Structures are given as structure tokens and as C-alpha cells.
């Protein structure tokens, strides 16, 4: 152990190191308690009255005195009541003012307004009010677009009609609101198209999932200019962050499914956009194609070898503190002194 003279001189860093050590002690105590509970349960299954068999070879992992303690124990210790979570402030949160209000008046019937003592009609002196949150179900509406046609009766010709309004899908059935709802439900709320098919069916409208899938493909083409503009902004950043994640997709080659890759590219604070790019595999072709126009800047990524070619052409490799911190976090039990010091310094960087 280090002596007191080698402790951090900076008070804020010392406090953070103490908090990191306290958190480690708390987690270790929790782990010890959980393992001790598992040990007691295993020993009771072996020596207790329960009929479930346990491999005796597992008991060789434990010390003999632990087995003796388990034999002497008459039963499980009394359960300690769980600690109560900090209570929330009493009272109900007010409903947002942005929600529309509908006033419903429950008035006293006229025959009950007479005073029971003198018979005069009682006058209104105030009211009692309470708010109730209600849900208005979504509904489908058929919008019929009418374009009157005009012609010259004298010439019996020269027909004129208002031009057609632009539509997201040429001569398609869905309006912009329906397309926005399907897109949000599928990609933001993770609602599969087959469930949307059932929901629309309860409204009495048959919308096959294959049709909605075609709509999504058409909308992807409509939104492509926006995605390209976002990509240009990301490539205009001084620092670009990139990472990939596996995604399961259908394999039209006959194997049922395969694993593709979805790459996320993050711009800096002046270009706060995230652009996703799909590739069928994890080869270097994906990031090299997307970052082909990114010549001078910093590339923040993990140590995947696919980025080596980008660094070789001049992009400065920037490490990730989240990945670096994880190794110090994992070393808390093997080298607690130095790991907590490193965690404290990294925490100071996070505060900047």
C-alpha cells in the first residue's frame, strides 16, 4: 500500500477516489452476500430434507467447516426486510398544459335546486373541479380530393381542372399522416408490420404487411436527400465517432437469415447528427466508402482493424475513454489502489 504522502494532493481528485473505493466496497459486499446465500442454499440442498439431488462433487469446492455449519443450521435465516427506496414527493404531478382540455359540466337538476327550508331557488356560488386523463383512440379518415372541371359550353371544349397536389407515393393510397404513423410505429416504437396489420384490421381496413413494407421502401427513397445532407454535415465535423453493431437480416440466398452490420457515424457538437449505414458484412469496405470524403480530422473508434486503412491515409486515431475506463473498472478487485486512482482521474475528465 502507498503511504499518505503519495495520495493525490488535489482535494477533488481525492474525494472522487474515495467515492470510487466506497462504491467498490459496496458492490463487493453485495457480491459476498449473494455468493454466501448461494453457498447456503447449495449445502442445504445436499444435507437438508429437500429431495432435489445435487452433485456431491460440487461440495469439494467448499471448505469442510462450511459443510459443518450447513449441517448444524436448522433452516434458512429470517429474511431481512428490504430497504425502502427514497420516497417520491407526495401528490400527483400536474398534467401538461399543452394537452387540450374538454370541460364537462355535471349540473344539479332544476328540480333539486330549490331550498329545502324556504323553497327559493339556490344560486350558484362556485364549483368543484377535478381533472381526469382520458385517451382518444386514433382513427382512420378517408380524405376525398375533389377537383372540379370546367369547360366552355359555347365551344364544347377547353376543359380545365386544378393540378394534382404532390403526393408522397404517386397515385398511392396512404396520406402523409398515415405514412408518418407507420414509420414511427415501426422504427421508433418497434411495432412490427404484422401487428400494425392487425391494428388496422380492427378499424375495418385491410392493409397487408407486404403493402406497408413497400410503403417503407418508397419513404426511404423520399428521405434519402435528408440522410445525404446529414451525412455531409457529419463529414464536416472535426471529430467523427464510429461504431458498428450486428443486425440479423433475411438471407435471400436461401439460408434463412444472416448477420449484417449497422454502422453509426456521429458528428461533433457543431454537427450533432447520427447517420446509420448498413453493410452486409464487417469488412473495411463499409467505413472506407462512407468516409471516403473525410480527409482531415479525428476518427474516434475502437481498435477494430478495419479502421487501420483510414488512419494510414491521415485520419488521426482517437481512443475511447469508455473502453479504457472499463479495463480499470474490471481491475478493481485485482489492483484496487491503482484502478481507483485511474477511475478518479477519468472521472475528472468526464466532469469537463
Amino acid at each position: 500500500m502507498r503511504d499518505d504522502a503519495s495520495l493525490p494532493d488535489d482535494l477533488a481528485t481525492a474525494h472522487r477516489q474515495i467515492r470510487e473505493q466506497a462504491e467498490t466496497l459496496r458492490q463487493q459486499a453485495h457480491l459476498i452476500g449473494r455468493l454466501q446465500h448461494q453457498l447456503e442454499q447449495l449445502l442445504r440442498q445436499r444435507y437438508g430434507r429437500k429431495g432435489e439431488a445435487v452433485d456431491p462433487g460440487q461440495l469439494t469446492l467448499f471448505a469442510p467447516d462450511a459443510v459443518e455449519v450447513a449441517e448444524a443450521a436448522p433452516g434458512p435465516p429470517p429474511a431481512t426486510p428490504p430497504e425502502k427506496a427514497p420516497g417520491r414527493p407526495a401528490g400527483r404531478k400536474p398534467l401538461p398544459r399543452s394537452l387540450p382540455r374538454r370541460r364537462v359540466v355535471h349540473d344539479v337538476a332544476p328540480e333539486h335546486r330549490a331550498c329545502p327550508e324556504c323553497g327559493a331557488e339556490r344560486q350558484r356560488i362556485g364549483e368543484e373541479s377535478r381533472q381526469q386523463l382520458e385517451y382518444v383512440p386514433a382513427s382512420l379518415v378517408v380524405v376525398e380530393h375533389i377537383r372540379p372541371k370546367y369547360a366552355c359550353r359555347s365551344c364544347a371544349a377547353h376543359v380545365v381542372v386544378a393540378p394534382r397536389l404532390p403526393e408522397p407515393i404517386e397515385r398511392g393510397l396512404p396520406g402523409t399522416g398515415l405514412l408518418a404513423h407507420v414509420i414511427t410505429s415501426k422504427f421508433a416504437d418497434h411495432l412490427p408490420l404484422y401487428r400494425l396489420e392487425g391494428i388496422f384490421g380492427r378499424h375495418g381496413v385491410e392493409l397487408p404487411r407486404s403493402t406497408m413494407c413497400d410503403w417503407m421502401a418508397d419513404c426511404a427513397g423520399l428521405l434519402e436527400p435528408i440522410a445525404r445532407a446529414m451525412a455531409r454535415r457529419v463529414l464536416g465535423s472535426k471529430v467523427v465517432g464510429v461504431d458498428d453493431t450486428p443486425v440479423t437480416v433475411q438471407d435471400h440466398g436461401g439460408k434463412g437469415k444472416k448477420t449484417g452490420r449497422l454502422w453509426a457515424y456521429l458528428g461533433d457538437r457543431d454537427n450533432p447528427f447520427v447517420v446509420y449505414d448498413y453493410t452486409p458484412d464487417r469488412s473495411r469496405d463499409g467505413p472506407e466508402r462512407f468516409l471516403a470524403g473525410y480527409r482531415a480530422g479525428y476518427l474516434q473508434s475502437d481498435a477494430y482493424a478495419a479502421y487501420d486503412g483510414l488512419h494510414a491515409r491521415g485520419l488521426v486515431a482517437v481512443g475511447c475513454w469508455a473502453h479504457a475506463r472499463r479495463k480499470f473498472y474490471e481491475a478493481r478487485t485485482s489492483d484496487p489502489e491503482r484502478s481507483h486512482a485511474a477511475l478518479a482521474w477519468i472521472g475528472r475528465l468526464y466532469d469537463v
Side-chain angles (χ1 to χ4, degrees), residues 250-258:
Q250 289 184 347
D251 185 6
H252 298 288
K255 297 182 180 180
K257 61 181 181 179
K258 63 179 181 180

Side-chain angles (χ1 to χ4, degrees), residues 173 197 200-201 204-208:
L173 177 66
E197 181 180 356
F200 291 136
V205 179
E206 182 180 354
L207 290 178

Side-chain angles (χ1 to χ4, degrees), residues 233 237 239 267-273 352:
R233 290 289 300 273
S237 304
V239 181
D268 56 19
R269 66 178 62 184
D270 296 328
N271 302 278
F273 299 99
V352 175

Side-chain angles (χ1 to χ4, degrees), residues 146-148 160-166:
I146 307 298
R147 295 187 299 152
V160 63
V161 64
R164 292 175 58 93
L165 294 177

Side-chain angles (χ1 to χ4, degrees), residues 70-336:
E71 291 177 339
T80 57
E83 297 182 359
K84 294 184 178 180
R88 295 182 178 180
R92 184 181 298 164
K93 291 184 178 181
L95 297 175
R97 293 184 176 272
S98 58
L99 294 178
R101 259 66 174 176
R102 185 179 64 184
R103 185 178 175 87
V104 179
V105 179
H106 305 275
D107 208 347
V108 179
E111 60 269 19
H112 295 156
R113 297 179 188 176
C115 177
E117 184 173 347
C118 66
E121 184 177 358
R122 285 178 277 197
Q123 304 298 315
R124 180 170 177 171
I125 60 174
E127 65 182 22
E128 294 183 0
S129 175
R130 65 176 295 268
Q131 291 185 343
Q132 186 179 41
L133 187 62
E134 188 57 274
Y135 175 74
V136 179
S139 60
L140 294 171
V141 178
V142 178
V143 179
E144 188 175 0
H145 297 275
I146 307 298
R147 295 187 299 152
K149 297 191 295 184
Y150 298 88
C152 179
R153 291 187 179 275
S154 300
C155 302
H158 306 295
V159 178
V160 63
V161 64
R164 292 175 58 93
L165 294 177
E167 299 176 344
I169 300 177
E170 186 65 24
R171 297 188 179 276
L173 177 66
T176 54
L178 178 57
L179 290 175
H181 173 70
V182 175
I183 292 174
T184 304
S185 299
K186 176 174 173 57
F187 296 104
D189 300 335
H190 306 284
L191 197 62
L193 293 180
Y194 78 89
R195 292 186 181 176
L196 286 172
E197 181 180 356
I199 293 173
F200 291 136
R202 291 197 296 270
H203 288 274
V205 179
E206 182 180 354
L207 290 178
R209 68 195 74 173
S210 59
T211 300
M212 289 186 284
C213 187
D214 293 337
W215 292 352
M216 297 301 97
D218 293 333
C219 290
L222 293 173
L223 297 174
E224 187 174 357
I226 298 178
R228 289 181 178 177
M230 294 171 60
R232 288 194 297 268
R233 290 289 300 273
V234 169
L235 296 179
S237 304
K238 296 180 180 179
V239 181
V240 173
V242 57
D243 200 3
D244 67 290
T245 185
V247 57
T248 303
V249 297
Q250 289 184 347
D251 185 6
H252 298 288
K255 297 182 180 180
K257 61 181 181 179
K258 63 179 181 180
T259 301
R261 288 285 165 172
L262 200 61
W263 304 78
Y265 297 89
L266 173 65
D268 56 19
R269 66 178 62 184
D270 296 328
N271 302 278
F273 299 99
V274 180
V275 178
Y276 296 92
D277 184 52
Y278 170 79
T279 58
D281 51 41
R282 205 189 180 199
S283 66
R284 66 183 62 189
D285 297 339
E288 287 186 353
R289 173 183 52 80
F290 187 90
L291 298 171
Y294 191 58
R295 294 295 179 182
Y298 298 87
L299 184 65
Q300 186 174 24
S301 64
D302 53 22
Y304 182 44
Y307 307 119
D308 293 344
L310 298 172
H311 300 151
R313 77 180 193 202
L315 295 183
V316 180
V318 180
C320 176
W321 274 114
H323 287 82
R325 185 184 184 278
R326 186 176 304 149
K327 299 303 179 182
F328 291 106
Y329 184 83
E330 294 172 353
R332 292 173 304 153
T333 55
S334 59
D335 194 346

